[in-house]
Amino acid sequence: MFLLTWLCFCCISLFATSQKSSTAQAKVITSIKYQGRDIKLNERSLYINARLEQKNLGKYAFRTLQDAAACAKDGTSNDPTIIYLEPDVYWTNNPYDENKENELIGLRLPQANITLIGLADNPEHTIIAGDRGQMAGAIGNWNTIGVGDGFKAYNITFGNYCNLDLIYSRDPTKNHRKRQETITQAQVLTTAHGGRMDKWVFENCRFISFLNVFAAGREPERAYFKNCFFQCTDDAIGSGGMSIFERCRFRFYANHPSWGGSRILQAYLGCSFETVLRDPKANPTIFFAKNNAIFAVVDCHFDGNARRLEWTDILSNQARHYVYHNTLNGEPVMISAGHPELSVELSEESLKAFKIGDQYNIYNLLRGDDDWDPARQKELLNQYGDLAFRLQLNASKTLLDGATGAEVKVSYILYPARTRQETPIKWTVSDPKLLSFVSTGDGALLVKGTNTSEEMKRGYIKGETVSGIVALVYFDVSGIPAPAPRISKALHSSEPSMGKVSADYTLDLQHKRDFSLITWYRARRDDGSDTLQVAVSRMNQPYKDYKLSSGDVGYYLIAEIEPRHETSETGKAVFARSRRIKPNDIGSESLSTDFKNIPTRRNEIIRNGFWTIDTYRPKDLNPDYAWQPAPGDGWAYGEGEVETAGRQGLFTLGRGARLLYTQTRQHRNMHLELELSPQKAAGQGFGSATGQYLDVYTKYDTKRMSGYGLRIERTPAYGNGVLVSLYKYENGIGTPLGPHQYTSAFLPGCQITLSVKDKILSARVTTSSEQQQGQKDSGLAHEVNLSAEINPDASAGFGVQHTGSTGGNRLMLERLRVSYD
């Protein structure tokens, strides 16, 4: 810890002591003078100077970072191994080699308690550099450096120059041109191993890249950044347990600088943010994270072209963040202004956990159980070192049975844990008639819900410290459901008419909405002993009118109804059967669906007139892209999120999601229209350029996996567009046909049209989303029209195959129309 007393950083001078050998006398570096002190080089003090000659090196002086890293031994928290670096550019990996081994970390520095010190005050003079990224010199998210437990750094720039030029003003011969223009995942810092990782410190450092500066999920339990600079786009900063940024500067080029935030707390204290959004007209909002972490934002100033601040894309009503004295373009700002209850304005008393006078209370926030004091504040702020800064409530379940009064245990965690015994918690509930609680005596509560109504009710229990640190958890409390509604008119299946069969019934709803579950089956036998599910009800909307298709011909249709209304129990199922469907019942060979009623349970069987819905890894995928299809369901139906909010559709749930429709009736010409929305809204559509694509099949034989189609693929060429190509498939192997086109049209509201007429396959791709400025600047087409001559057979199946990752990169199918002539 003696290092931190030196940080006035002055000039360095070298001196050498003479050492005699048996053959010659050479000047070997054995000590350096730093900040007016003589530093003797030894196994705890190493020195790097690329300009040294071989005869000067000695045992503890080196010319490369790699040599010093190989020599370095574990330090201790009180006696770290310090590596002093002369101003220069230090490459962790030769950016010009082929990386045949596909190493994803340029240099590993796994030793514990290593400290790097740049010997110039200006961190731009000492640069630790890399130049690789996802599908740009590596397959995978490449990192400039990986470090170990207790790592510290001062006066250093850590950069990944895959997507931006390295300009070195001290020596222009060290300038380096970026690998590519397209922004990809080019990470700067990660952990060197999977073991214990805690207590990282960076002061007067710079972190330079764009996408994924820090490896998400690969940061320590506690990290402290002071007077640092960060340049990034998305998914770049904040992970691990606690990330504390004091008086740091940030330059944000995109809307989501943090993927998930830190698990316990991510605090910005006295920080300044410059927003340089690439397309503020498309989205002028900075989101603190994509997922719900807890933030403290104190004395922070946001300036630039962002016009709004939000905690997350999808707000949690249970989250409580802490704010104090923040501005946006010079005006006081409320984060997530539409939900002011999510932001707790720190009072004079609660502010002390974060700030005392003009000092940010780093000691209190990071002290932990081991009395860590990275800011050297213990003597000054010792009396403020035991103040709660976060309360977290944990409930074993949040759905309570209000009819039986079943209890649930609610426990709490107070951060820091050492304050628990001396910090009383005041407990309240939103509605004492709905929720009540008793103490268990061990610091937990037993919460009971009481609800004698038919409706589900919602309420919360809140804990609060005397100083105003708050947490709450919401509960849904079920009531006493009404009996299932009586069927007042017997269920029967209507005669096929106008291309549909209807389930005809009447319920005694007593002015309630009908929420009955209607499921449709096909059966060859009239007794229904061989039923196959073909349609379901969703979103509390009974699917009464079943739309016929050619696949129904030759089958009986059986409707199963489980009666219920909006506040009732679900009644016993009753059934009705149609007659056998004939060809002239279906009206048209065309098929259309909004996917709402398609069963999503995994079904790998390929059968005429049925959907195959599963996960699959295509044969033509590069084996370097190592993933296996998800074993469970590949698709689910539901509401969209983030950029697909307000939409409903069938979305990818498992990697390799595939949806096929088998049509054995032969047709010469075919027309397909598909509407869909990727959740990625920058135009790249997929998580990375690692063989992630969407195939849309037409004139497709599902058993032979042969036919034609369209492929939409993310490639390294663009970070805001995709490659669209026509394809021919033979036995599961795809081959591109004719011309291709890069486009920005793969955005929410994307519309794909595929037509086969005689021997011409044509495709059109458009979108209802406006083209973003960056896409215009890249010269991307916002509409695609392609055609190619083919030799089709009479196959008439169709489908989609998605090889992309899911989660925040999922795809939603919204509508499909297929016709033949």
Side-chain angles (χ1 to χ4, degrees):
M1 302 303 294
F2 64 90
L3 169 61
L4 295 175
T5 65
W6 302 347
L7 296 180
C8 58
F9 293 113
C10 58
C11 298
I12 179 171
S13 63
L14 304 177
F15 68 89
T17 60
S18 297
Q19 296 185 340
K20 294 185 181 256
S21 68
S22 57
T23 57
Q25 187 174 18
K27 292 185 177 179
V28 175
I29 301 298
T30 59
S31 61
I32 60 174
K33 187 177 290 291
Y34 175 58
Q35 295 185 338
R37 300 180 57 181
D38 291 339
I39 307 298
K40 182 176 176 59
L41 302 183
N42 54 43
E43 64 178 15
R44 283 286 194 267
S45 299
L46 310 180
Y47 171 64
I48 307 175
N49 184 343
R51 295 173 175 79
L52 291 178
E53 297 182 19
Q54 183 66 33
K55 63 183 180 181
N56 303 131
L57 295 182
K59 190 175 181 180
Y60 302 110
F62 308 92
R63 285 187 295 203
T64 70
L65 185 59
Q66 286 79 359
D67 288 342
C71 178
K73 294 179 171 55
D74 288 343
T76 67
S77 57
N78 293 322
D79 188 14
T81 295
I82 304 171
I83 302 175
Y84 301 90
L85 295 88
E86 283 287 353
D88 215 320
V89 176
Y90 298 93
W91 290 94
T92 63
N93 169 275
N94 182 353
Y96 301 106
D97 75 22
E98 297 182 22
N99 193 22
K100 292 181 178 179
E101 298 80 12
N102 198 40
E103 274 290 335
L104 295 181
I105 300 178
L107 175 68
R108 294 176 190 268
L109 199 57
Q111 301 91 329
N113 297 297
I114 298 293
T115 296
L116 302 184
I117 297 180
L119 293 173
D121 291 345
N122 188 341
E124 296 183 53
H125 294 169
T126 307
I127 300 175
I128 294 178
D131 172 12
R132 295 183 191 277
Q134 177 70 271
M135 300 306 296
I139 300 174
N141 293 358
W142 192 87
N143 302 267
T144 297
I145 190 169
V147 300
D149 183 46
F151 180 80
K152 300 179 180 66
Y154 304 88
N155 305 338
I156 292 175
T157 291
F158 296 88
N160 190 324
Y161 296 91
C162 181
N163 302 136
L164 71 160
D165 296 336
L166 190 162
I167 306 298
Y168 190 60
S169 60
R170 289 175 60 93
D171 183 355
T173 67
K174 302 289 181 70
N175 290 352
H176 176 80
R177 186 173 179 78
K178 59 192 169 191
R179 183 178 293 267
Q180 64 179 38
E181 188 73 34
T182 303
I183 293 175
T184 189
Q185 294 94 333
Q187 296 175 175
V188 173
L189 191 70
T190 188
T191 56
H193 55 76
R196 169 187 163 85
M197 208 62 60
D198 193 14
K199 298 195 290 190
W200 284 4
V201 174
F202 298 89
E203 185 166 350
N204 194 36
C205 290
R206 300 170 74 245
F207 300 89
I208 305 298
S209 187
F210 286 122
L211 185 59
N212 293 29
V213 174
F214 288 84
R218 298 294 302 276
E219 292 183 48
E221 189 64 19
R222 291 171 290 180
Y224 174 48
F225 304 85
K226 182 177 182 181
N227 295 331
C228 291
F229 172 78
F230 301 81
Q231 171 183 297
C232 63
T233 56
D234 289 327
D235 301 343
I237 55 175
S239 185
M242 294 183 63
S243 300
I244 309 298
F245 301 90
E246 181 186 2
R247 305 182 196 277
C248 292
R249 295 178 299 116
F250 299 83
R251 183 177 297 145
F252 291 159
Y253 288 92
N255 308 91
H256 296 90
S258 181
W259 182 76
S262 298
R263 189 180 68 257
I264 299 171
L265 181 72
Q266 190 158 314
Y268 298 104
L269 309 174
C271 294
S272 62
F273 300 81
E274 178 188 5
T275 60
V276 195
L277 300 178
R278 292 169 293 181
D279 193 354
K281 290 183 179 179
N283 189 347
T285 305
I286 291 293
F287 298 87
F288 278 77
K290 293 180 177 178
N291 299 312
N292 282 285
I294 300 299
F295 292 88
V297 185
V298 177
D299 296 336
C300 289
H301 305 288
F302 296 78
D303 294 285
N305 59 6
R307 295 294 177 263
R308 188 169 62 247
L309 305 177
E310 293 282 347
W311 292 118
T312 54
D313 294 272
I314 303 173
L315 296 169
S316 168
N317 58 11
Q318 298 187 159
R320 291 296 182 269
H321 309 277
Y322 298 96
V323 298
Y324 180 81
H325 188 227
N326 302 304
T327 64
L328 173 61
N329 293 322
E331 298 294 329
V333 63
M334 176 174 287
I335 303 168
S336 291
H339 295 270
E341 72 279 3
L342 303 183
S343 300
V344 178
E345 184 76 25
L346 292 167
S347 65
E348 180 180 355
E349 191 62 29
S350 57
L351 180 63
K352 293 176 182 177
F354 301 91
K355 184 181 181 183
I356 302 294
D358 62 356
Q359 293 278 320
Y360 293 108
N361 198 348
I362 308 303
Y363 179 55
N364 181 62
L365 296 176
L366 292 176
R367 179 183 173 188
D369 296 327
D370 55 1
D371 206 35
W372 191 39
D373 184 19
R376 306 284 291 178
Q377 294 176 321
K378 182 176 180 179
E379 183 176 344
L380 179 65
L381 301 180
N382 190 50
Q383 69 183 96
Y384 304 104
D386 290 308
L387 301 177
F389 58 79
R390 186 189 168 190
L391 178 64
Q392 176 182 328
L393 303 189
N394 300 311
S396 55
K397 62 179 181 180
T398 56
L399 177 61
L400 301 182
D401 187 340
T404 63
E407 296 176 324
V408 61
K409 185 175 183 178
V410 175
S411 60
Y412 73 91
I413 302 173
L414 195 65
Y415 299 97
R418 62 183 180 273
T419 65
R420 181 174 177 129
Q421 295 300 319
E422 305 300 325
T423 307
I425 306 297
K426 178 184 177 182
W427 300 101
T428 56
V429 295
S430 56
D431 181 355
K433 294 181 180 179
L434 181 67
L435 294 171
S436 59
F437 61 90
V438 295
S439 174
T440 62
D442 60 356
L445 303 175
L446 286 178
V447 177
K448 182 172 71 173
T450 302
N451 183 5
T452 58
S453 72
E454 294 179 4
E455 291 86 7
M456 181 82 73
K457 293 186 176 181
R458 189 169 176 81
Y460 64 78
I461 184 167
K462 180 171 72 171
E464 184 171 3
T465 69
V466 174
S467 67
I469 301 300
V470 179
L472 47 78
V473 59
Y474 275 86
F475 295 96
D476 292 309
V477 185
S478 63
I480 302 174
R486 181 177 58 87
I487 298 179
S488 58
K489 179 182 177 182
L491 171 69
H492 73 277
S493 177
S494 70
E495 278 290 307
S497 175
M498 304 294 291
K500 65 181 181 179
V501 172
S502 299
D504 189 7
Y505 64 94
T506 302
L507 299 180
D508 183 11
L509 292 172
Q510 299 182 359
H511 307 292
K512 301 291 178 66
R513 290 177 294 172
D514 184 4
F515 280 10
S516 297
L517 301 173
I518 300 178
T519 305
W520 292 87
Y521 302 88
R522 290 177 186 161
R524 291 286 190 188
R525 299 171 184 162
D526 60 4
D527 64 358
S529 59
D530 60 343
T531 55
L532 296 167
Q533 189 184 81
V534 290
V536 298
S537 300
R538 288 198 178 94
M539 317 296 285
N540 292 322
Q541 297 174 7
Y543 187 38
K544 295 181 178 181
D545 300 319
Y546 176 86
K547 188 181 296 185
L548 294 171
S549 70
S550 61
D552 296 309
V553 174
Y555 287 94
Y556 297 98
L557 288 174
I558 297 174
E560 175 191 31
I561 177 172
E562 299 172 85
R564 69 173 186 176
H565 60 63
E566 56 189 298
T567 61
S568 78
E569 296 176 326
T570 300
K572 184 178 179 180
V574 294
F575 298 84
R577 192 204 70 188
S578 76
R579 65 165 168 79
R580 196 186 298 271
I581 304 301
K582 302 174 183 178
N584 60 356
D585 291 328
I586 64 174
S588 170
E589 290 280 349
S590 300
L591 183 148
S592 64
T593 179
D594 61 4
F595 302 101
K596 180 185 290 185
N597 305 111
I598 291 177
T600 56
R601 187 171 56 203
R602 187 180 183 96
N603 172 31
E604 301 177 9
I605 298 173
I606 294 176
R607 180 180 302 183
N608 180 47
F610 285 83
W611 293 97
T612 299
I613 183 162
D614 62 359
T615 55
Y616 179 76
R617 180 186 169 93
K619 297 178 183 178
D620 58 8
L621 264 181
N622 188 328
D624 289 337
Y625 308 140
W627 61 268
Q628 293 301 316
D633 293 338
W635 300 86
Y637 187 90
E639 301 277 355
E641 296 179 348
V642 192
E643 302 298 341
T644 57
R647 300 174 182 269
Q648 293 179 358
L650 195 67
F651 58 82
T652 53
L653 186 65
R655 188 77 182 265
R658 181 175 69 162
L659 180 69
L660 304 175
Y661 187 84
T662 300
Q663 170 66 279
T664 57
R665 295 189 65 170
Q666 296 186 343
H667 296 276
R668 179 176 178 81
N669 297 326
M670 183 172 174
H671 183 80
L672 179 150
E673 298 176 17
L674 178 63
E675 298 177 29
L676 51 82
S677 292
Q679 191 159 310
K680 289 277 192 185
Q684 78 279 47
F686 304 88
S688 63
T690 52
Q692 298 194 32
Y693 59 74
L694 170 71
D695 277 346
V696 181
Y697 302 130
T698 189
K699 297 289 290 178
Y700 194 71
D701 184 323
T702 57
K703 290 187 177 180
R704 292 191 299 112
M705 300 176 67
S706 298
Y708 295 91
L710 180 81
R711 177 167 293 182
I712 298 176
E713 183 173 11
R714 181 173 180 177
T715 77
Y718 290 93
N720 54 2
V722 293
L723 177 66
V724 177
S725 309
L726 296 174
Y727 259 71
K728 179 180 181 180
Y729 305 92
E730 292 185 280
N731 300 315
I733 305 296
T735 304
L737 290 172
H740 59 262
Q741 178 77 62
Y742 282 99
T743 181
S744 57
F746 196 51
L747 292 167
C750 181
Q751 301 167 346
I752 298 170
T753 302
L754 278 175
S755 292
V756 175
K757 187 167 182 62
D758 299 326
K759 293 188 175 184
I760 300 298
L761 168 65
S762 60
R764 184 169 184 257
V765 182
T766 62
T767 181
S768 59
S769 293
E770 292 187 9
Q771 190 176 37
Q772 299 161 17
Q773 187 59 48
Q775 296 168 331
K776 295 177 182 178
D777 296 341
S778 297
L780 289 164
H782 207 49
E783 179 177 316
V784 173
N785 290 280
L786 300 173
S787 63
E789 186 172 344
I790 61 174
N791 291 301
D793 58 19
S795 298
F798 53 88
V800 297
Q801 167 77 64
H802 188 265
T803 67
S805 53
T806 55
N809 304 319
R810 68 188 189 180
L811 174 76
M812 175 181 284
L813 307 181
E814 296 175 82
R815 273 167 290 280
L816 172 70
R817 291 175 290 273
V818 177
S819 59
Y820 305 95
D821 58 37

